[in-house]
Amino acid sequence: MSEDSSAWAAPEEPPAQNTASSDIAAALSLARDAQKKWRRYTVSQRVEALRRFWRKLQEERGALIAVIHAETGKPPAEIESMELDAALLILKYFTRNAHRLLQDRATPRPWVLINKRSYVRYVPRGVAGIVTPWNLPFLIPFGDAIPALLAGNAVLLKPSEWTPRTALLRTTKYRLPCSQRRCWGGSVNHLRKSQEASSCSGVAAHTEMLEP
């Protein structure tokens, strides 16, 4: 990468446009439809899909770094280490441990139920809403989306209004290679909003989980 980070200038106004309530509803509908298919995938299939997505992303790593640099002004070396390399560590941990983390867990039971079995079973919740800041526009949404997706949920992403292009690149150019390449476009949807509080409220009101 050869960008001169000293030449970067912060925009005076957020580059994102308002997202209408109807668009939020449409994005949520896509996420719910995709989640119905995605939850039927086995844990092994989800793991492999996310690993394929990462390999595809690495084919144009330079383009992703350029977009993050343009939006945040971070030096490319910092983006490499603090965003992409850190994201890979998260991906490796959760994909390597997904089966262990999601398996049934035996729980204690009173003696009167000695002939019964008691356990905790993890099931998908539905759509997880992720609201993220501008300073780590790739790492935070990626890191939060990975465990949610591995657990069989869909993700509705509301990126910062200052860094929408990073989210757009991730959700339009690169797609999870499953269900005829529809899973990433529907299971991880993005919202653009310059009114932060209004957008957060819209995501929170219509998702089963919210990760601020």
Side-chain angles (χ1 to χ4, degrees), residues 130-148:
I130 298 179
V131 181
T132 60
W134 69 271
N135 56 325
L136 291 168
F138 180 84
L139 176 63
I140 293 178
F142 184 87
D144 287 344
I146 289 301

Side-chain angles (χ1 to χ4, degrees), residues 43-53 55 95 150 177:
V43 174
S44 295
Q45 288 173 324
R46 296 173 199 158
V47 165
E48 182 53 31
L50 289 171
R51 286 173 174 169
R52 288 201 304 268
F53 165 74
R55 291 194 294 269
T95 54
L150 284 172

